[in-house]
Every structure is written in structure tokens, then in C-alpha cells.
Amino acid sequence: MPQALERADGSWAWVVLLATVVSQGLTLGFPTCIGIFFTELQWEFQASNSETSWFPSILTAVVHMAGGCRVGVMEEGRPCPSLLLALSPQASEGLGMCFSFQSSITVLGFYFVRRRVLANALASMGVSLGITLWPLLSRYLLEDLGWRGTFLVFGGVFLHCCICGAVMRPVATSIAPETKECPPPPPKTPALGCLAACGQTIQRHLAFDILRHNTGYRVYTLGVMWSILGFPLPHVFLVPYAMRHRVDEQQAALLISIIGFSNIFLRPLAGLVAGRRAFASHRKYLFSLAVLLNGLTNLVCAASADFWVLVGYCLVYSVSMSGIGALIFQVLMDIVPMDRFPSALGLFTVLEGLAFLISPPLAGLLLDSTNSFSYVFYMSSFFLISAALFMGSSFYSLQKKERQGKQAVATDALEQDLFLEGKDGSGKQPCPEIICQFTPAPPGVNKYPWGCPASSRSSHECLLWPKAVLQVKQKALGRNSP
């Protein structure tokens, strides 16, 4: 049925932002509380650390591997996924949340244009609220209902995503649709085979062409994928690590809430700073710096398991986490055009999901073999620090190469202005109107920086000093301003 289209940067955009905050708090905030259930599940199923780690890894990986805008967000809150959450709290839970996470990020990018950076930072504040509230609620329900009853309650909580998806109306585009009085009937085309149809669907929703041709997107995707091999480990193993060293269960759960509460204030602040015009071209470096700081703080956590040391670690960790959360999708929007952002985000999150799937079991295997949580945090630091150095150096190299390309284009354009093609086909000749406008070079300075031929030096038919470039170009173009 026909629907009224909403306009970008309108009043309804703030309603969509509020819905995105709630949906992200429910979806992305929930996996951070899995550490609360880690010991309980390990005891229930008599499993090793590596085997138990598959629970948070599958959950988080599936969260990042699907999406679809309005219908997708509502799909998470349908009764079927919510009931499956209570019956199978591993795969179906993530399958329900995956429809909401990516969809809300995509639709928010279409609703906000001028304040997109601030909107992304405010939306990520929902994750902070989720990180703050989910551990406290999980600890409270786990004591009274057990892990099975707790997941049954969570299934009802996720029904609220239906409301979030309902407010995400279609957005009007700046291009009006072309209307025709008598459109010709579409030509009959043979039905595509199953493999061909699947190939077209994958090509439409996953930006493999951008991955091949956009070097910045390729660097960013690989760097983020590598960093995620270490990023989720503190959320999974911090609570068991604290409990192993005789920290009270309530205090151990409070550590995750401290991270979330700090991010409530730090993420909007990070978004305001990154949204300033002076930082617009440096956001990718700010993101790399946040990843580097995140990796360094994990070394502090590995050094001591005292509760107050862990509290300080959580506060410092929150600073870097807020920068990552506020910038991760904004940097992606800066690298790829907005009309290709949904497909670029699709491939980006699929590769993210693969990293999330591998990371916790790999750390659990390391924990089983060493019986020390310190090596888990060392592993997290290694992946984060190396990813930050890779992205920072790669972005600098690409920017330097781009700057050199622009200088080469400017030099070619200048040479075309200074020299004219000979009428007899003898090659480029100095323009006679500007030959005598050169400024002599100061004593002791190379008079022929461009390597002019010796035959032309006596007749002053070459540039003698870089200052002459501006004078010659202004004379040739008839300009008086610099």
C-alpha cells in the first residue's frame, strides 16, 4: 500500500534515532553480558573453556551476518525468534538479533546527512546502555531463575524490537521517480538458474567489487577484521578472570557495567569531537589510535587481578572503546559512497562475524593449554595493536600516494600552460609572451631545478626559480591575485 516518505534530517529522524538506540542496546549490548553465564554454562555442560567459548562466539558472529531495514528490525522481535531464544539460546538468539543491528545502522545513515557523525555516536550510546544494564539484570535473574529462566525472560524483552522497526519508515530520495503514461511491457527473459540467482543476490548485497577496487575499503575491512580477533575477549573472559582470582560475583558483574556506564558519556563526546570539520579528514587515524589504546590497556588487565586495578582498567578501556564505537561505522561511511553503503556494510559485517566466530574459541583453547587468563589478554593486545599499526600506516601511505598524484597532475597542467606545441610539429616550445617574465634565482641556488637542456639556458627559456612559476602562470592567464 502507498506510504508517505519521510525526508532526511527531518523531525522523524530523531524518532528513528531513538529506536536505533533501543535496538542497539538490545542487540549489541546483550553479547557483552555472556561472561556472566560463562561459568554457569561451563558447569552445567561439564565443558572446557574452548567448548564453552563457542556459545558467545556463535551468538556474536550471527549477530553481524544479516540485515534488512524496517522488516529486518521487526523480524527480530517476532514471537518465533523470541520463543526460540528460550528454547535454544545459542544460534536462534543471534539469528533474531542480526536482523536488527545492521538494519538500524543502515537506515540511520539515510535519515541523517548533516548530523550523521553525531547521530552515529548517539546511536552507539544505546550499546553503552545495554552494556550497563544487561549484566546487572543477568546477575539478578540468574540467581533467582537460573540460566534457562533468564533466557526465557530475555525472549520477552526482545519483542520490543517490533516497535523499533515499525517507526523506521522509508526515506524520500532527492531524485524524483520518472513517470510514463504507457510504459512498455518488460521483455521476456529466461528464468535464471539457482546458482545464477544466488550469484546476483550476493553481488547486489555484498560489495565484492568495492573490496577489489577500493583500496581504502580493503585496508579498513582487513584491519577491523584482524582487530576483532582480540576485541571481544575482555567482554567474554573478564568476569571469569575476576572470579578466578576470588573477586565477588556481584563485583565481577559490576566491572562490565562500569564499562557501559562510562561509555554513556564518552561516546557522544567522541562523536562531537570527530564530527568537527577539523577532524573530518583524520577520522581514520583517530579510529586507529583508539584501537591502539584498546590493545595497550589489556596489558594492564593482564598484570593484576585486584578489584580496584580492574576498575581502573575498565575506566581506561572505556575511553578507547567509546572511540571505536563512535567511529567504526562513520569511517566506513567516509570511505565508500552512501549509495553503496548498505552493500559495503553487508560484506564488512560478514567478515566481522567470521572474526567473532573464531576469536573466543581460539582464546579458550589457549586458556585450556596454559590455564592462565593472562595469555588471553596478551593475545587480545597483540591483535589490536598490530591491527592499529597496520591501518594507520596503510592509510598514511595511501594519503601520501594520493597527494603525490595530485601534485603530478598540477605539474602537468602547469607545463601545458607554460609551453605551446610548435606549428611545424617540432615539439613543445616556450610561450613567447612569457619567456622574459622569469625571476633570477638567488646566488648559490640551483638555477635549473627542472633539468632544462643546456641549449635553452643561455636564452632564459627555462624556469630559473620556483617563485617564477606563480608569476609566469599569472601573466599567462591574465590573473593579478595569488
Side-chain angles (χ1 to χ4, degrees):
M1 60 186 298
Q3 300 178 6
L5 299 179
E6 298 292 337
R7 61 184 180 88
D9 292 314
S11 57
W12 193 256
W14 299 101
V15 180
V16 174
L17 175 60
L18 179 61
T20 304
V21 170
V22 175
S23 64
Q24 288 205 29
L26 293 176
T27 55
L28 295 185
F30 177 76
T32 59
C33 75
I34 296 303
I36 307 296
F37 302 95
F38 191 90
T39 305
E40 189 79 13
L41 293 172
Q42 190 175 17
W43 179 84
E44 174 79 16
F45 297 102
Q46 296 298 310
S48 64
N49 291 293
S50 178
E51 293 171 340
T52 311
S53 299
W54 281 105
F55 169 63
S57 68
I58 293 175
L59 168 65
T60 312
V62 177
V63 166
H64 289 78
M65 287 189 177
C69 280
R70 190 183 192 186
V71 177
V73 178
M74 297 179 70
E75 189 71 23
E76 181 203 349
R78 282 179 56 191
C80 182
S82 300
L83 289 177
L84 286 174
L85 172 61
L87 299 177
S88 176
Q90 189 170 21
S92 62
E93 177 185 353
L95 183 61
M97 289 188 291
C98 72
F99 292 119
S100 179
F101 152 63
Q102 191 183 130
S103 309
S104 59
I105 290 294
T106 302
V107 75
L108 193 67
F110 288 105
Y111 264 97
F112 285 90
V113 178
R114 291 184 290 108
R115 299 184 180 91
R116 185 175 292 160
V117 180
L118 178 62
N120 283 322
L122 293 176
S124 65
M125 190 174 66
V127 184
S128 307
L129 291 171
I131 297 174
T132 303
L133 299 177
W134 277 118
L136 300 178
L137 180 62
S138 301
R139 188 73 252 172
Y140 174 77
L141 294 177
L142 185 61
E143 292 178 353
D144 294 339
L145 303 177
W147 69 270
R148 298 180 188 274
T150 301
F151 278 102
L152 180 63
V153 175
F154 289 167
V157 173
F158 281 110
L159 288 170
H160 292 82
C161 285
C162 290
I163 303 174
C164 299
V167 303
M168 295 180 181
R169 302 171 181 171
V171 187
T173 59
S174 58
I175 303 176
E178 183 180 358
T179 59
K180 297 182 180 180
E181 295 181 357
C182 298
K188 294 183 179 180
T189 56
L192 295 175
C194 181
L195 293 178
C198 291
Q200 286 190 356
T201 302
I202 292 175
Q203 187 176 2
R204 183 169 67 251
H205 295 288
L206 299 178
F208 285 105
D209 57 331
I210 300 180
L211 186 66
R212 290 195 307 268
H213 301 107
N214 190 329
T215 308
Y217 177 73
R218 185 163 59 248
V219 167
Y220 187 63
T221 302
L222 294 178
V224 171
M225 185 180 178
W226 185 257
S227 68
I228 285 177
L229 292 174
F231 179 73
L233 299 184
H235 301 285
V236 177
F237 293 100
L238 179 59
V239 174
Y241 171 61
M243 294 175 62
R244 169 78 68 89
H245 291 81
R246 299 181 180 180
V247 176
D248 183 70
E249 294 181 1
Q250 296 288 348
Q251 290 181 328
L254 184 63
L255 293 174
I256 301 296
S257 296
I258 291 174
I259 296 176
F261 183 76
S262 302
N263 272 259
I264 294 176
F265 306 98
L266 292 174
R267 290 206 183 196
L269 181 61
L272 289 174
V273 173
R276 297 181 64 86
R277 187 172 300 178
F279 294 102
S281 60
H282 304 290
R283 292 189 191 118
K284 49 185 177 289
Y285 299 112
L286 294 177
F287 178 80
S288 302
L289 181 62
V291 174
L292 178 63
L293 179 61
N294 193 270
L296 293 175
T297 52
N298 290 332
L299 297 175
V300 177
C301 184
S304 175
D306 181 75
F307 174 72
W308 292 108
V309 173
L310 294 179
V311 169
Y313 157 76
C314 291
L315 293 175
V316 180
Y317 182 87
S318 300
V319 176
S320 60
M321 184 179 176
S322 63
I324 295 173
L327 292 174
I328 184 169
F329 297 115
Q330 181 57 46
V331 173
L332 184 61
M333 292 179 182
D334 294 339
I335 292 176
V336 300
M338 197 58 208
D339 59 335
R340 299 300 313 278
F341 177 74
S343 57
L345 178 63
L347 181 59
F348 181 78
T349 53
V350 165
L351 296 177
E352 265 189 328
L354 293 176
F356 275 118
L357 183 65
I358 299 171
S359 177
L362 186 62
L365 183 63
L366 179 63
L367 180 59
D368 289 333
S369 60
T370 62
N371 199 29
S372 174
F373 279 93
S374 297
Y375 289 101
V376 173
F377 292 99
Y378 290 143
M379 169 184 167
S380 175
S381 297
F382 166 73
F383 284 114
L384 288 164
I385 293 174
S386 58
L389 296 177
F390 166 73
M391 287 188 291
S393 59
S394 299
F395 283 134
Y396 177 77
S397 177
L398 291 175
Q399 188 175 14
K400 183 178 180 180
K401 186 179 298 185
E402 182 182 0
R403 189 184 302 114
Q404 291 176 349
K406 291 181 179 179
Q407 290 178 352
V409 172
T411 303
D412 293 341
L414 179 62
E415 291 179 353
Q416 291 178 3
D417 289 340
L418 293 178
F419 295 91
L420 298 177
E421 192 73 24
K423 296 181 179 180
D424 54 353
S426 58
K428 291 185 177 180
Q429 301 293 332
C431 180
E433 298 179 1
I434 58 176
I435 283 180
C436 299
Q437 302 295 331
F438 298 111
T439 302
V445 178
N446 179 17
K447 296 183 178 182
Y448 311 106
W450 281 273
C452 298
S455 59
S456 63
R457 292 177 184 175
S458 58
S459 58
H460 297 282
E461 294 180 354
C462 63
L463 298 180
L464 299 180
W465 179 241
K467 181 180 178 182
V469 174
L470 295 178
Q471 297 179 352
V472 171
K473 192 170 180 63
Q474 290 171 10
K475 293 288 186 179
L477 300 178
R479 297 176 182 174
N480 295 322
S481 59

